[in-house]
Structure formats: structure tokens, C-alpha cells
Amino acid sequence: RPVFNSPVTPSKARPPMPMPMDYRLAAQDFDRFLTDVVEATGLTTRNQAYTTIQAVLICFRRRLTLREAIVFAQVLPAMLRALFVEDWDPDAPQATSWVRATMTEEVKALRVDHNFSPDTAIHDVASVLRRHVEAEAFERVLTRLPAPARDFWS
């Protein structure tokens, strides 16, 4: 019987690829990320950390071209990659300001009644993210982005 409509017979077919560990351990990795963000920000709950993380990712994404965002997403852990693209309207106007105070206010504006992001949220999430990604791959991706995008994660 053909495998996935392939003319290759089962005896010559390659064994199925195992599920990548990035996906197998995605929930556990995201739990660790949430815990680290709680500690870095001084927040008290994982729900608060989730809102802060989501707001920081959306804030960053709004300033990238579609191509830049896809390049960046490739180095994120699976759950953060999903959060980065969730509910994204790629036709929305691109934000142009990289002023930190403006971006901090934008981070705090997501679900404002439930958002406890500190003024240092962008820096805090950036420092945690750097501990949860492959450093060389992350730096390689950042070199492909505009200077203000690189500064966002420093």
C-alpha cells in the first residue's frame, strides 16, 4: 500500500519521523518560561505573566514586516511561536515608533483591566527569552532585522 500517495512500497519507505522534542515538550517549556517571567517581573501569577508575554510579543510583531516576523518566529520555542502569530492581522498597519516609553505603554494597554506589566516588561521578557532560545540562532536572526528590532531584545 502506498505511503501518503507515494509510489514507494512500504518495504522501501522511510520510517516515520518522530515528533520533534520542541513539540513534545512545548507545554513544559512554556511553563518554565512563564515561571521565569513571573520571577523576572515580580508579578505574582502565571496569568499575569502570560498577559505580559503576549503584550510584549504583539508590541514587537506590530513593528515588523511580514517577512521579518516570520524570520523571527523561527527561533522562538513552539508555544511562544504560536503566541507570536495568534490573532495576527498581517494587513494591519505596521507601527513605526521604536521609542521604549511608547512601546511600554502599548504593552500595558493589552487587556488593561487585567494587565499588571511593570515598566520593565520588555526588558524582563527579553532577558528571559534569551535564556530559552538557542543563543547563536537568535543572534543570527536578529542580524537580519532592523537595528531597533535588535535593540528591543537587548
Side-chain angles (χ1 to χ4, degrees):
R1 181 174 135 200
V3 177
F4 298 108
N5 298 323
S6 167
V8 178
T9 60
S11 62
K12 294 184 181 185
R14 294 186 186 134
M17 175 115 178
M19 182 188 313
M21 291 304 277
D22 285 355
Y23 295 111
R24 184 177 297 220
L25 301 175
Q28 293 167 341
D29 292 344
F30 190 60
D31 284 342
R32 281 191 291 275
F33 191 82
L34 284 168
T35 298
D36 288 353
V37 169
V38 166
E39 291 174 11
T41 58
L43 295 170
T44 57
T45 71
R46 294 159 39 90
N47 288 338
Q48 292 170 347
Y50 178 87
T51 294
T52 296
I53 295 162
Q54 184 180 30
V56 168
L57 291 174
I58 291 170
C59 176
F60 182 67
R61 180 184 78 196
R62 290 188 63 239
R63 288 158 173 77
L64 301 179
T65 65
L66 181 59
R67 181 198 149 289
E68 291 166 345
I70 290 172
V71 166
F72 179 75
Q74 300 305 308
V75 294
L76 294 175
M79 296 288 283
L80 291 174
R81 187 167 52 243
L83 190 56
F84 182 71
V85 300
E86 181 181 41
D87 296 329
W88 185 11
D89 176 3
D91 295 323
Q94 185 177 345
T96 57
S97 173
W98 289 92
V99 174
R100 186 57 62 124
T102 301
M103 293 187 296
T104 298
E105 288 307 311
E106 188 177 315
V107 165
K108 291 180 170 197
L110 179 70
R111 289 191 296 279
V112 70
D113 293 333
H114 303 282
N115 190 326
F116 298 92
S117 298
D119 290 342
T120 56
I122 294 170
H123 175 268
D124 297 341
V125 171
S127 67
V128 173
L129 180 64
R130 285 184 168 278
R131 295 194 311 258
H132 287 262
V133 295
E134 183 190 328
E136 285 183 32
F138 192 69
E139 290 303 323
R140 241 186 342 267
V141 161
L142 290 181
T143 65
R144 296 176 63 190
L145 300 178
R150 291 191 298 274
D151 293 343
F152 187 95
W153 298 107
S154 60

